[in-house]
């Protein structure tokens, strides 16, 4: 396994749309294992392949308090949305920024697991938020793009300044 580099907003590669995975093989499972290790090392609850510069529809999520409930979603599709909820979100690609985003309160998602088996999951709460956040990444969308232009400009300026300082 390996810890992968996580692209940092506003890296333009975060805006590339991810392609469907046509064949789930050992390379896919290696990617999933590396993404999980990367997510756990960064203490995140979700990671999309887009964030590690792999533009395929692969997501890992673990919202458990003790990193014991890894969920893998390949080629995910939301087939039901219910209600609306405003929750604070953060993102490993946008460190230190936490903002409220409105999303569906509950979703039903269908996807393939790391063995290529299809499953359907009803999710609510943090898991539902996380699924929608990560699926946005696969479309090339970062959560701050749900905010006003003014807020987005402020966040971009703040992060660019921080990145310059770190360089
Ligand atoms: Ni994110």
């Amino acid at each position: 396994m390996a810890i992968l580099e996580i692209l940092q907003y506003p890296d333009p590669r975060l805006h590339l749309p991810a392609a469907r995975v046509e064949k789930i093989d050992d390379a896919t499972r290696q990617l999933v294992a590396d993404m999980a290790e990367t997510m756990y090392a960064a203490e995140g609850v979700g990671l999309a392949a887009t964030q590690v510069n792999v533009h395929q529809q692969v997501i890992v999520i673990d919202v458990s308090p003790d990193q014991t409930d890894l969920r893998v979603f390949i080629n995910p599709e939301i087939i039901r949305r219910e209600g609306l909820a405003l929750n604070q979100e953060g993102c490993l690609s946008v460190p230190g920024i936490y903002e409220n985003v409105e999303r569906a309160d509950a979703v039903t998602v269908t996807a393939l697991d790391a063995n290529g088996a299809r499953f359907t999951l009803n999710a609510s709460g943090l898991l539902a938020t996380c699924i929608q956040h990560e699926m946005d990444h696969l479309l090339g969308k970062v959560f701050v793009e749900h905010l006003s232009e003014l807020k987005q400009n402020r966040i971009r300026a703040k992060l660019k300044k921080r990145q310059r300082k770190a360089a």
Side-chain angles (χ1 to χ4, degrees):
M1 295 212 290
I3 291 180
L4 307 170
E5 187 190 339
I6 299 174
L7 298 179
Q8 299 296 299
Y9 182 81
D11 191 310
R13 292 171 292 182
L14 286 169
H15 301 307
L16 297 172
R20 287 177 70 80
V21 178
E22 296 302 336
K23 184 167 165 282
I24 295 173
D25 55 15
D26 286 346
T28 318
R29 284 182 281 275
Q30 184 64 55
L31 172 65
V32 165
D34 289 345
M35 284 174 61
E37 192 182 7
T38 303
M39 173 181 73
Y40 288 137
E43 294 181 358
V45 293
L47 189 68
T50 307
Q51 293 176 273
V52 293
N53 200 28
V54 175
H55 302 283
Q56 296 179 18
Q57 294 180 17
V58 178
I59 288 169
V60 294
I61 291 177
D62 188 341
V63 295
S64 71
D66 50 358
Q67 304 189 334
T68 53
D69 189 22
L70 180 67
R71 295 169 187 268
V72 178
F73 302 81
I74 299 172
N75 300 341
E77 287 173 49
I78 290 177
I79 55 175
R80 182 191 65 107
R81 290 182 161 80
E82 207 177 287
L84 284 173
L86 191 66
N87 287 300
Q88 195 178 62
E89 297 185 19
C91 179
L92 294 176
S93 292
V94 196
I97 305 290
Y98 300 90
E99 295 283 349
N100 284 329
V101 176
E102 188 177 71
R103 299 192 188 269
D105 187 35
V107 295
T108 302
V109 61
T110 177
L112 303 175
D113 68 17
N115 295 312
R118 178 161 298 280
F119 65 94
T120 300
L121 173 74
N122 293 311
S124 59
L126 177 58
L127 182 57
T129 300
C130 201
I131 288 168
Q132 293 170 85
H133 174 119
E134 301 309 332
M135 285 182 69
D136 267 2
H137 277 301
L138 300 182
L139 298 171
K141 188 167 182 178
V142 178
F143 84 103
V144 295
E145 285 152 16
H146 286 275
L147 308 173
S148 69
E149 274 300 324
L150 178 68
K151 265 194 172 169
Q152 288 183 53
N153 288 337
R154 282 186 187 154
I155 290 167
R156 269 196 297 271
K158 191 172 174 180
L159 290 174
K160 278 183 178 165
K161 191 175 167 189
R162 202 189 291 159
Q163 284 162 13
R164 273 198 305 274
K165 268 189 186 164

